[in-house]
Every structure is written in C-alpha cells, then in structure tokens.
Amino acid sequence: MTLFHFGNCFALAYFPYFITYKCSGLSEYNAFWRCVQAGATYLFVQLCKMLFLATFFPTWEGGAGVYDFVGEFMKATVDLADLLGLHLVMSRNAGKGEYKIMVAAMGWATAELVMSRCIPLWVGARGIEFDWKYIQMSFDSNISLVHYIAMAAVVWMFTRYDLPKSFRLPVTVLLGLCVYKAFLMECLDCTAKAILTFYCFNTFM
Amino acid sequence: MFEEASEVFDNMFKSSFPLTFIVFIPAVLILVSPLPAEAAHEFTVYRMQQYDLQGQPYGTRNAILNTEARTVEAEVLSRRCVIMRLVDFSYERYQKALRQSAGAVVIILPKNMSTMPQDIVQQFMELEPEMLATETIVPVYFALEDDELLSIYTQTLTSSSSQGSSSAAEVLIHTATANGFQMVTSGAQSKAVSDWSITSLEGRLAGTGGEDLPTIVLVAHYDSFGVAPWLSYGADSNGSGVSMLLELARLFSRLYTYKRTHAGYNLLFFVSGGGKFNYQGTKRWLEDNLDHTDSSLLQDNVAFVLCLDTLGNGDSLHLHVSKPPKEGTPQYALLKELETVVSSQYPEVKFSMVHKKINLADDTLAWEHERFGIRRLPAFTLSHLNSHREAQRSSIMDVRPHVDLRKLSRNTKLIAEALARVIYNLTEKVKSLVCLCDPLCCVLGQQVQEEQLSSVVDWLTAQPRAAQLVDKDSSVVSTLEYHLGRYLKDVRRHYVKADKRDPEFVFYDQLKQTMNAYRVKPAIFDLLLAVCIAAYLGVIYLAIQHFGVLYSLVRRITAPKTKQH
C-alpha cells in the first residue's frame, strides 16, 4: 500500500494549493500562466542565490560545536533576494493589490513545492519503510503556502507609497523576520543549549 | 504559443480525461518500480544447511523470504516469518511453526555463546541433527543478536501476543497503529553448486633402513559441521584433531632428523576434507592410492592407521575399532602401549577400547577408520567421545571454549609417547621414555609445545570451516599446506569432485544473506490516514470559502482597540 501512502502525502501537500487557487477567484482571471511565470522567477532567483553562495561563501572549516554567527548571518542576508524576486513578480503584474499578491505567492509557493518536495516524496514515501517525516513534509508545505502569502503581502505593503507612517516600522520588522527566520531559530537554539549546559555544569560542580 | 500551452495545461487539469490518460497515467506506470528504500535494520543471516548426501536431501530447500515478522505466540503464523530467540527455542515451537505453514523461521542467537546456560546449549545441540534430518521447504535462518534486532524482537512480541486479549475497539486501534516489520532477503533462490572440489592434504616422513618399511598413517579431518555452515567453527570436532596432528608431525620430524632416532617406519600424515559428509576426502584418496596407482605407501606394508577425532576435552579416551586387534600385530602393540602409558603416567585418564562393527546399511559411516576398514587396512579412531552419535561432533555450539588446552596437550603427549614406544620398539627395553638415549630424551623431553597447540586451535576456530565454504583457494587449505610443508616432505593436495551422473554429495549456495527489516504499517493505517487527510482538506476548503467571515471576525476583535485610542 505504499503507493497509496505516497498518494496520501501528495494529496495533503498539493490539494490546499489547488483549493486556494480555485476558491480565491484567481481562476476567473486566467491567472494560471502568470503563476507559472512567477514560478519561473522563483527558479531563476534560487539559481542566482545558489551561485552567489557558492562563489562568495566557501565551506567554513572550524570546530564542530561552534556556530559561525557572522557567516550564517551573511548567508541569511542572501535570502533578501527572495523578497526582491517577489517584488519583481508583483511589479510586472498589472491589477489590484490582492490579485498581485495572490498570483505572486501562489506561483512562488507552487514552484517551491514542486522543486523541493515532490522528489523526496516520490522516492521516500513509495518505499516499504514507513516514516512520519513524509506526512510532516507535506504538512510543512501547507504552512509555507501561508507563509509566502504573508510575505508577499508584506512586500507589497512595503512598496506602497500611501502606507501610513505608523505601519512602516512593524512592516520592516516583519520583513526582517521573514528573511532571517531560520537564522534566528538557530541563534535561539544555540543560546538555549549554551545556557542549559552552563546551568548543568554549575549545578553539578 | 505560450497561451496555447497554458490552455492545454488548463484543459488537462480541469476535465479532459483522454488527454490526462494519455499523458499522465503512462508516466506514472513507467516510473512505478520497486525502489531500494532505507531499511529499519540490516543484518547478516546465516542459512541452515542444505545438501544432498548420496541422493538424500537434508536441510532447508528455500532461501528467499519476503514476509511479515511474528513470534511464536501469535495466532496466525501461516506465510509469516517466525522469529525465535535461542532461550525460548524448543522443538515443539519449531514444529508448531512448520505445521502452520510459516513462511520462514529466524532464530536469534546470542553474540557470545558462553553467556548461555549449559542446559540450553545442550538442548540445542541435541536438536540440531533433528532439525536437519527432515527436509524443510521453509527457509530457516540464524542471526546473531544485537540491540536493534533485540528491539525488533520485543516489538514484534508485544504486538503478536496482544492479539487475542483486548476488546474489539482496542484491537481495531491497535491494528491500525501497530508497528510491523517486513523481513526481506536480498539474495536469489538457492541452487546446487557445480564442480565443488573438496581438498585434502598429505605429507610423509620416510623411514630409514631398507625398502619395504612398514607405514603408519595418521589421519584427521579438518572440516566442521553444524546446523548453519557459516556458524560451524568446530573447535573440538575436529580442530583439536588437526592441531594434534600438526604437533605430532612436528615432533616426529624432529626425531627423524637425527640418525640415531630415525626409525624404520614410514609416517604418512593425511589431513582430510569432507570428513563430516561421510569422509569423502578419505574415500577418494584411498581409491586413488589403492586402485589407480601402481605403487603407493598404502598398498604395501601398512602397520596401522590412527584417526584423530575430537580429543580436546574430557578425561576419557576411547579407541574405536571395527575388529579387535589380534595378538602380535602392530595394532595390538599400540593398544597395549596406550594402556601402559595411561596406567603409568596419566592415571586420571580412563582408557577403553570400543568395538563397533561396520554397518554398511547405515546412511553414513560412524568413524573415519571405517573407511580404511572397508579397504582391509587395519585402522582405529581415538576420541574422548564414547559414541559417534554424540551431538558435540556436529554442532554450532562447538566453539573455542569447548577445547581445554591442558587436556589437549596431555592427550597429545600421551599419544606421542605411545606411538614412539611402538615405533622404537621400547616395550621390552625401558619402563618410561625419559631415560633413553640422549637425543630422544632431549627432543621429547622438550615436550609438546602448548603455545603451538593453542595458536593452531585459535586460528582454526577463528573462521567457519564447513566443507561447503572451504574451496581449493581457501586460506585454511593453503595455511595447512604451509604448516605441513615445514615438517614433512612431499606435501601434496588431493581433490575430490562429485561424480557427474551419480553424485555422492551436492552442496547448495546462498548460505549467507543480508536481511532487511523494514518498519511497515498495516493497510488499515493508510485508509485511516486517507480519511483524516480528507477531513482536513474539507476543513481547509470551508475555511477558504468562508474566509470573509474569518476576516470580519478578526477586524471586529482589533477594531475596539483602535476606537479606544
């Protein structure tokens, strides 16, 4: 029944996208081709990011336990390209704000789904061995759909000239969180571990 | 062009069934193929013996396995792989599994046999020949235990034994969420190995003083036997015999280098292969030497043939004969010398002669000397075992701790002295060998080298020496050849291949496999998951359809805050 399991994971990952596409009214605007264009932009942006990272950030050789804060920070900064890409897609689409956001987010998220989740699911979920991580991966893709919609909305708000002044700061902070999300999680993880070991060390000495 | 492409895609996704069928389904069908997935656990398993001896098949006939794991307590065992631990193993359980047409049996052995209590070891030793006697279609495998395998076993045990005890709802939930294991072997079906040659080695020490000297032959078979070929180390049977033979070769070659102690007997040493399979090596060697050669040491004057079999333990020594030796013959002399040496120097040893007639109607011969007896050569076997049917002679439990080095070296000294007394005809001359002429005293006085014995036994028990595993390029054979070559002259190999038309023995391959244990969930689980995912998607659909409601709710919550400012 392992193909069935693959079908389960695939349905869990893909159907919300399909439902969102249908029910948000995008289909009435014939936005399919524009979503595909957004997806192509995603591919292009990822390629540029990878080339940039490979050229300017050689593998850092250091101790295993020490976390290279500066290096990881620089690497996370490269994720700004994501925001630029989203902005590029939205600026090329004429139309209302919601239309632009939805088209950009849908295309971007679908491209990410196809590129980074389809192959692991195909190879892994079809095997005899069962692992919960495939269900986790599919569920993760739902969450990233919402995340990309939010990110596109924040980028759009940032570029509006008629945004009230009081909203500038929260919007900028949210943008920063979007880009450095993974980095901040790692930092928190490291500091938590350090505090815990320090505490244990003190307790037992 | 792009607009048309997008239209095509749109049509495909919306409704057009033939188009989807043409494009999508064949792609899926082509790509559907069994993929090697990551296993929960991969471990080596050793198959039970499979061989034909004189046309009679023994052991398990099958090698492939791809079934779910269960333990013996489960109710349904058919077409399942039954896993048992050695501590829980008993013949009734084994028979129960076979009767219910289980798919396979896997027996888990502890890594260190010496940690097992003696009675379990003894019981298993006795069950081995019974397991092999019947021909089973079901593949039987043995695996060595490690932590992962033990955890797999305990998980299977809990899920198997709880099948008949709780309420229907619990059983339903349990079957839906249980963690099962699928055992899969990676090899092919077993088939007969063609052209397998069993190797034997011979070497000699020529006597001095004339042409027609009597010959003494010393024989030991080097292969081992057990319920699983890859696990049969054969420490006592017959690693002890081979190490003793090498030690005797060393002693007598030293004696024969000095003119004063160069006796008038030819000594022929023979390390035979295929001993546990009805002494095939010896049988063919005898045929070649007696029927096909013009002159051979075996055709002329043979004083006697002494076979060494299982001498590494125990405080008794039995001389097995097929015909009691007549007075005045060299065999009688050896018998008397053995009795004398035992009674005078080693009183703790109980020596006796066991007379057993050769029974040609039996499936297999009892001891190695019977092969010589059939060809009218005077022969006997020395062993600490009383009967050839003892389970220790063919058990996988016969590992290095079974050999007591002190007893082995004591037996070696005993036999060396008895042989020397016969060869040098010392019976009437002196009581003990110690105060004879100097070179003899000096050489035998330096005694049997215990370190040499110990290292040979250690080396022999370091690898499995089943006849199916030792081919002519094996390191066992070449090392034995080298060792014999250090002490003896004319060291030669002798090969035995089964006859094409009426083979005396047939061996099969696929004796060692890699088994994978995959963690699987039952089919109901997939259905359950599908139902849950459908429910989740339904909720998502409703949420998105009525998103406006959610939005206005959020605005109503945040609105009072702005009003207050």
Side-chain angles (χ1 to χ4, degrees), chain B residues 276-471:
Chain B
K276 301 292 186 188
F277 289 96
N278 215 9
Y279 311 108
Q280 297 293 333
T282 316
K283 174 178 173 215
R284 192 64 69 80
W285 185 62
L286 279 171
E287 278 171 22
D288 283 348
N289 271 305
L290 294 177
D291 300 333
H292 304 305
T293 341
D294 286 333
S295 77
S296 143
L297 281 182
L298 287 174
Q299 284 172 348
D300 312 323
N301 196 350
V302 173
F304 54 82
V305 180
L306 180 63
C307 304
L308 303 168
D309 190 340
T310 321
L311 288 154
N313 216 329
D315 276 325
S316 53
L317 214 55
H318 301 282
L319 188 71
H320 298 268
V321 291
S322 41
K323 235 178 8 193
K326 289 204 204 39
E327 283 226 25
T329 53
Q331 312 96 282
Y332 190 73
L334 182 68
L335 175 62
K336 283 290 152 223
E337 291 305 338
L338 279 169
E339 282 176 356
T340 321
V341 172
V342 166
S343 58
S344 62
Q345 293 180 31
Y346 303 99
E348 73 272 15
V349 176
K350 288 188 291 298
F351 177 75
S352 67
M353 182 180 80
V354 177
H355 174 212
K356 180 193 169 299
K357 283 208 182 56
I358 303 177
N359 185 357
L360 288 169
D362 263 343
D363 289 332
T364 55
L365 292 178
W367 298 103
E368 198 153 10
H369 71 269
E370 295 191 357
R371 278 274 168 227
F372 295 92
I374 291 174
R375 305 299 307 233
R376 306 255 179 269
L377 290 170
F380 23 57
T381 305
L382 259 179
S383 174
H384 77 84
L385 296 175
N386 201 0
S387 148
H388 68 277
R389 291 198 199 284
E390 293 249 1
Q392 313 182 11
R393 285 186 78 215
S394 51
S395 165
I396 57 172
M397 298 295 178
D398 188 10
V399 284
R400 176 69 179 86
H402 264 237
V403 172
D404 187 342
L405 204 64
R406 285 177 302 111
K407 296 192 179 157
L408 179 63
S409 79
R410 176 200 71 202
N411 288 341
T412 316
K413 285 180 218 173
L414 206 161
I415 295 171
E417 262 215 50
L419 274 175
R421 293 175 129 221
V422 170
I423 291 175
Y424 296 106
N425 209 356
L426 299 169
T427 336
E428 296 93 28
K429 288 180 192 165
V430 282
K431 282 272 187 290
S432 161
L433 207 51
V434 181
C435 36
L436 190 59
C437 48
D438 297 312
L440 191 62
C441 176
C442 177
V443 170
L444 270 183
Q446 80 184 8
Q447 299 299 325
V448 160
Q449 279 181 346
E450 269 197 40
E451 301 88 28
Q452 174 107 334
L453 271 178
S454 158
S455 63
V456 173
V457 174
D458 285 339
W459 165 67
L460 282 171
T461 52
Q463 67 245 305
R465 297 185 325 275
Q468 297 106 318
L469 302 174
V470 179
D471 65 350

Side-chain angles (χ1 to χ4, degrees), chain B residues 519-558:
Chain B
R519 212 177 286 117
V520 289
K521 290 259 183 220
I524 307 181
F525 176 78
D526 276 334
L527 285 173
L528 204 67
L529 200 62
V531 167
C532 291
I533 290 177
Y536 168 77
L537 290 174
V539 167
I540 295 269
Y541 179 72
L542 286 174
I544 292 180
Q545 283 283 51
H546 304 286
F547 194 71
V549 175
L550 188 67
Y551 184 64
S552 52
L553 191 73
V554 170
R555 284 205 73 164
R556 238 182 302 130
I557 292 173
T558 53

Side-chain angles (χ1 to χ4, degrees), chain B residues 110-238:
Chain B
K111 243 197 171 54
N112 202 355
M113 297 289 190
S114 41
T115 55
M116 302 297 299
Q118 269 304 105
D119 52 342
I120 295 185
V121 171
Q122 196 61 31
Q123 182 198 29
F124 187 73
M125 260 206 267
E126 267 140 42
L127 286 175
E128 283 185 50
E130 290 189 42
M131 284 169 73
L132 281 175
T134 49
E135 185 195 350
T136 34
I137 317 173
V138 160
V140 180
Y141 281 99
F142 294 85
L144 291 173
E145 188 177 286
D146 56 5
D147 293 326
E148 292 213 38
L149 199 53
L150 194 57
S151 84
I152 291 176
Y153 176 75
T154 32
Q155 286 180 48
T156 322
L157 187 60
T158 41
S159 70
S160 298
S161 47
S162 62
Q163 267 174 9
S165 56
S166 28
S167 67
E170 279 183 43
V171 169
L172 199 65
I173 295 177
H174 190 257
T175 38
T177 54
N179 223 355
F181 286 97
Q182 182 90 353
M183 308 297 230
V184 184
T185 50
S186 49
Q189 182 60 280
S190 68
K191 53 182 198 315
V193 176
S194 60
D195 279 350
W196 185 262
S197 64
I198 298 182
T199 319
S200 314
L201 298 163
E202 66 168 275
R204 71 185 61 194
L205 285 172
T208 180
E211 279 295 316
D212 225 358
L213 292 172
T215 309
I216 293 180
V217 189
L218 291 167
V219 183
H221 59 89
Y222 68 82
D223 61 317
S224 58
F225 191 81
V227 75
W230 274 91
L231 291 173
S232 45
Y233 296 99
D236 203 6
S237 176
N238 194 12

Side-chain angles (χ1 to χ4, degrees), chain B residues 5-23:
Chain B
S6 76
E7 225 185 313
V8 161
F9 272 119
D10 253 348
N11 280 335
M12 215 168 81
F13 280 114
K14 277 182 191 150
S15 54
S16 176
F17 186 67
L19 213 57
T20 336
F21 197 77
I22 290 169
V23 175

Side-chain angles (χ1 to χ4, degrees), chain A residues 1-5 8-9 11-12 14-16 18-24 27 30 32-33 122-124 126-133 135 139 142, chain B residues 2-3 6 9-10 13-14 28 31-35 37-40 182 184 517-521 523 525-527 529-530 533 536-537 540-541 544-545:
Chain A
M1 278 280 208
T2 51
L3 202 60
F4 195 84
H5 185 243
N8 275 345
C9 294
L12 181 60
Y14 174 67
F15 272 43
F18 187 65
I19 293 172
T20 319
Y21 180 77
K22 283 284 177 198
C23 300
S24 59
S27 45
N30 277 336
F32 184 77
W33 177 235
W122 178 253
V123 170
R126 273 196 322 131
I128 310 178
E129 172 95 356
F130 175 82
D131 205 337
W132 280 109
K133 70 176 184 231
I135 299 282
F139 199 70
N142 291 3
Chain B
F2 288 121
E3 274 69 40
S6 76
F9 272 119
D10 253 348
F13 280 114
K14 277 182 191 150
V28 173
L31 291 173
V32 165
S33 58
L35 287 175
E38 239 180 60
Q182 182 90 353
V184 184
Y518 297 112
R519 212 177 286 117
V520 289
K521 290 259 183 220
F525 176 78
D526 276 334
L527 285 173
L529 200 62
I533 290 177
Y536 168 77
L537 290 174
I540 295 269
Y541 179 72
I544 292 180
Q545 283 283 51

